């Protein structure tokens, strides 16, 4: 019997660790210190010990113990993680009602498939092989679900944030099924055969509702993706056209140079030195204004940098650039417009919200054998809009003005890139690595 207790203890630990892993996957620690992590581990050990004790001395299934676990998980999430109340409640609720529903369902299926009367009663009150098997199947499904969520972390995070009410509806439906199916432990319901109906209807409802949710979310996400692509294309085209116009403006200035040289030659031939000097000073102004400094020797990158330097100068922002040579062809021009132009626009916009004397932006742009690194830091007013670790636009119409941020993320993902950011006091920094 000892090995059965060990097996049950391991399965209980898997159950608790799965929930902790999900919470840590989606949310950041409130205090990233040794004592905080140690305390978090101790709370996990506590819940795991309570679960093992409950299964050992009481019963395999208890709806009231499930409520206790949800409450403890809620408290731990709020204390240790940056998470609001409803999200902190939704995750353990979904997790536990589905796990406990699996336990009841597989116990009932064992009765039906192997023609074992009162199997649910037996595994409920006694530790045996059958109980371990039922728990094992349920925990395997939970582990598979957790791994799938981990592999699709970015998509799940976005969906979870946008469709919370749908997930709450799903959790409520599973709980109703759990509530009715647990009547299998009450003899009058078993004799009347009502529990058979519950175990047929509610799994069908749950599966059907889940399929409807998936189809609905896929439809909405596809629709939003098409809209986002259209908006991105419009924004990228706008940035690209601005770069081209700037380039053409320079071309026109230098194209007129031959006419200027002719005039200068005429003035010098007439020995009108004073007028020649004045003319040189006059034509030097637009040339110096449009001087195309070669920061990276990448045409589109240098055009973007020149444009944003001019824009920053107009708002009295000190823009410092440290850049190495960036090869052309590694990153598409349209993606440079999407990433670099939007990043600098966001930095300029952030600087405009602070006093003029404190406005600064620092850009570091480098390339190695496998990646291009972009590091931008700037002054900002200390206010940052963030949801579940994702940046959001600070403007009122987030669906429209958040396109720049979404466009950056989309282009970074295109190159299997990494985007991270930090904010410390009045300094905001974002780091991007693009791999090729």
């Amino acid at each position: 019997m000892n090995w059965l207790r060990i097996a049950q203890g391991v399965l209980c630990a898997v159950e608790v660790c799965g929930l902790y892993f999900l919470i840590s996957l989606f949310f950041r620690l409130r205090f990233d210190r040794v004592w905080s992590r140690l305390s978090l581990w101790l709370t996990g050990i506590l819940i795991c010990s309570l679960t093992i004790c409950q299964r050992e001395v009481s019963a395999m299934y208890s709806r009231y113990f499930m409520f206790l676990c949800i409450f403890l998980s809620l408290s731990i999430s709020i204390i240790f993680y940056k998470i609001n109340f409803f999200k902190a409640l939704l995750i353990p609720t979904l997790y536990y009602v589905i796990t406990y529903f699996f336990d009841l369902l597989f116990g009932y299926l064992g009765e039906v498939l192997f023609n074992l009367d009162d199997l649910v009663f037996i595994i409920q009150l006694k530790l045996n092989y059958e109980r371990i098997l039922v728990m094992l199947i349920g925990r395997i499904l939970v582990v598979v679900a957790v791994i799938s969520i981990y592999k699709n972390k970015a998509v799940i995070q976005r969906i979870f944030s946008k469709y919370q009410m749908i997930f709450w509806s799903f959790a409520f439906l599973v709980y109703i099924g759990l509530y009715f199916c647990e009547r299998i432990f009450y003899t009058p319901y078993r004799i009347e055969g009502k529990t058979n109906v519950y175990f047929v209807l509610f799994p069908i409802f749950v599966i059907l509702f889940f399929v409807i949710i998936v189809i609905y979310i896929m439809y909405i996400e596809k629709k939003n993706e098409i809209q986002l692509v259209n908006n991105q294309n419009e924004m990228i085209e706008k940035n690209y056209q601005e770069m081209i116009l700037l380039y053409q403006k320079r071309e026109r200035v230098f194209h007129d140079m031959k006419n200027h040289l002719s005039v200068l030659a005429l003035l010098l031939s007439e020995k009108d030195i004073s007028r020649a000097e004045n003319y040189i000073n006059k034509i030097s102004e637009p040339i110096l204004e449009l001087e195309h400094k070669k920061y990276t020797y990448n045409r589109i990158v240098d055009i973007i940098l020149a444009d944003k330097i001019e824009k920053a100068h107009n708002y009295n922002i000190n823009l410092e650039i440290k850049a190495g040579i960036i090869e052309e062809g590694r990153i598409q021009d349209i993606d440079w417009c999407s990433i670099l132009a939007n990043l600098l626009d966001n930095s300029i916009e952030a600087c405009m919200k602070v006093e003029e004397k404190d406005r600064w932006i620092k850009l570091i742009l480098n390339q190695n054998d496998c990646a291009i690194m972009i590091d931008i830091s700037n002054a900002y007013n200390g206010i940052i809009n963030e949801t579940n670790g994702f940046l959001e636009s600070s403007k009122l119409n987030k669906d429209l003005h958040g396109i720049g941020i979404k466009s950056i993320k989309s282009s970074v993902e295109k190159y299997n890139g990494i985007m991270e950011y930090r904010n410390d006091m009045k300094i905001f920094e974002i780091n991007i690595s693009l791999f090729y």
Side-chain angles (χ1 to χ4, degrees):
M1 292 293 291
N2 287 334
W3 79 267
L4 289 176
R5 289 190 173 89
I6 293 173
Q8 181 172 258
V10 170
L11 292 174
C12 290
V14 170
E15 178 183 317
V16 175
C17 289
L19 176 60
Y20 269 65
F21 181 77
L22 278 179
I23 295 174
S24 64
L25 189 65
F26 288 108
F27 305 101
R28 292 190 297 171
L29 283 171
R30 192 178 298 275
F31 310 104
D32 193 9
R33 297 173 184 171
V34 175
W35 65 266
S36 177
R37 293 183 180 276
L38 181 60
S39 301
L40 186 61
W41 276 101
L42 289 175
T43 60
I45 294 172
L46 173 63
I47 295 180
C48 186
S49 301
L50 288 175
T51 305
I52 293 172
C53 182
Q54 189 272 335
R55 302 276 162 81
E56 183 72 24
V57 302
S58 181
M60 181 188 74
Y61 170 83
S62 171
R63 180 158 45 95
Y64 300 107
F65 182 73
M66 181 186 73
F67 289 148
L68 175 62
C69 289
I70 292 174
F71 173 76
L72 291 175
S73 302
L74 169 65
S75 303
I76 291 167
S77 299
I78 292 176
I79 293 171
F80 290 98
Y81 290 91
K82 296 180 179 179
I83 177 175
N84 64 43
F85 177 83
F86 291 104
K87 289 180 181 177
L89 179 61
L90 177 56
I91 291 178
T93 300
L94 264 175
Y95 184 84
Y96 277 114
V97 296
I98 291 174
T99 303
Y100 277 51
F101 189 78
F102 280 159
D103 287 342
L104 284 185
L105 179 61
F106 292 128
Y108 173 79
L109 291 177
E111 284 189 358
V112 175
L113 295 176
F114 301 104
N115 197 24
L116 298 172
D117 294 335
D118 298 330
L119 175 64
V120 175
F121 271 110
I122 295 171
I123 64 176
Q124 169 73 350
L125 302 175
K126 184 179 179 181
L127 176 60
N128 49 32
Y129 303 102
E130 290 81 2
R131 177 193 283 193
I132 298 300
L133 181 61
V134 168
M135 289 181 63
L136 177 63
I137 296 172
R139 288 1 171 231
I140 288 175
L141 289 177
V142 168
V143 170
V144 170
V146 169
I147 292 173
S148 299
I149 292 172
Y150 175 75
K151 289 184 176 180
N152 300 279
K153 176 183 174 182
V155 176
I156 299 297
Q157 280 181 324
R158 186 175 69 251
I159 290 175
F160 184 78
S161 299
K162 292 174 62 176
Y163 304 100
Q164 282 190 61
M165 289 306 301
I166 293 179
F167 285 104
W168 272 113
S169 301
F170 183 71
F172 179 74
L173 176 62
V174 177
Y175 173 76
I176 294 298
L178 189 67
Y179 175 79
F180 280 95
C181 288
E182 73 176 15
R183 297 187 180 188
I184 195 172
F185 299 120
Y186 304 126
T187 303
Y189 286 95
R190 288 176 61 88
I191 294 175
E192 295 176 8
K194 291 182 179 180
T195 54
N196 295 329
V197 176
Y198 299 149
F199 277 101
V200 171
L201 288 180
F202 280 105
I204 292 175
F205 285 155
V206 169
I207 294 172
L208 182 61
F209 190 72
F210 180 77
V211 171
I212 292 173
I213 288 175
V214 171
I215 294 174
Y216 173 76
I217 291 177
M218 287 177 62
Y219 168 74
I220 296 298
E221 287 297 305
K222 192 66 178 177
K223 182 179 177 181
N224 291 340
E225 182 182 348
I226 293 172
Q227 182 64 38
L228 175 61
V229 169
N230 291 336
N231 291 335
Q232 284 178 338
N233 289 339
E234 291 177 6
M235 178 172 290
I236 291 169
E237 181 66 22
K238 178 178 177 292
N239 284 330
Y240 193 76
Q241 291 300 326
E242 288 178 355
M243 302 304 106
I244 295 301
L245 288 174
L246 181 64
Y247 188 78
Q248 291 174 346
K249 187 177 180 181
R250 288 193 176 93
E251 290 296 312
R252 286 195 298 270
V253 170
F254 289 108
H255 179 267
D256 292 339
M257 187 59 66
K258 60 182 180 181
N259 296 325
H260 297 318
L261 292 175
S262 299
V263 173
L264 282 172
L266 180 61
L267 292 173
L268 290 174
S269 67
E270 295 176 353
K271 299 186 183 303
D272 193 346
I273 305 300
S274 178
R275 289 185 63 189
E277 289 177 348
N278 291 333
Y279 192 81
I280 290 173
N281 292 332
K282 185 177 180 180
I283 65 173
S284 295
E285 292 177 3
I287 294 175
L288 293 174
E289 182 182 346
L290 294 173
E291 181 183 6
H292 186 180
K293 185 175 179 180
K294 295 187 181 298
Y295 295 95
T296 66
Y297 291 87
N298 181 304
R299 185 181 64 89
I300 191 66
V301 173
D302 289 343
I303 290 175
I304 291 172
L305 294 179
D307 178 58
K308 301 311 174 186
I309 288 172
E310 182 179 353
K311 184 176 180 181
H313 177 74
N314 292 336
Y315 293 108
N316 296 318
I317 299 171
N318 179 28
L319 176 53
E320 178 185 350
I321 297 175
K322 294 182 179 180
I325 296 176
I326 305 296
E327 297 178 18
E328 295 190 354
R330 296 292 190 179
I331 306 298
Q332 293 183 8
D333 289 354
I334 198 170
D335 292 315
W336 277 122
C337 289
S338 176
I339 298 172
L340 190 57
N342 277 317
L343 284 175
L344 289 169
D345 281 339
N346 290 343
S347 296
I348 292 171
E349 181 184 329
C351 285
M352 289 167 59
K353 297 177 182 178
V354 301
E355 294 182 13
E356 286 192 12
K357 63 183 179 64
D358 298 324
R359 294 177 181 179
W360 61 269
I361 300 171
K362 184 176 181 180
L363 168 65
I364 301 176
L365 190 59
N366 287 305
Q367 177 180 344
N368 60 23
D369 293 337
C370 62
I372 292 174
M373 286 75 68
I374 305 171
D375 299 323
I376 296 182
S377 55
N378 59 267
Y380 80 115
N381 60 3
I383 300 173
I384 182 172
N385 289 356
E386 179 183 11
T387 301
N388 298 334
F390 291 96
L391 291 174
E392 285 191 348
S393 173
S394 60
K395 299 178 183 176
L396 295 177
N397 191 343
K398 289 182 169 51
D399 290 335
L400 176 62
H401 295 293
I403 296 300
I405 298 171
K406 294 176 182 177
S407 180
I408 295 170
K409 291 179 181 177
S410 177
S411 293
V412 170
E413 291 172 0
K414 179 178 176 180
Y415 296 93
N416 297 316
I418 300 171
M419 182 169 69
E420 299 175 333
Y421 69 90
R422 295 183 293 275
N423 53 298
D424 182 19
M425 299 297 288
K426 296 300 179 69
I427 300 175
F428 181 84
E429 182 177 357
I430 188 163
N431 311 110
I432 291 179
S433 296
L434 305 173
F435 301 98
Y436 46 79

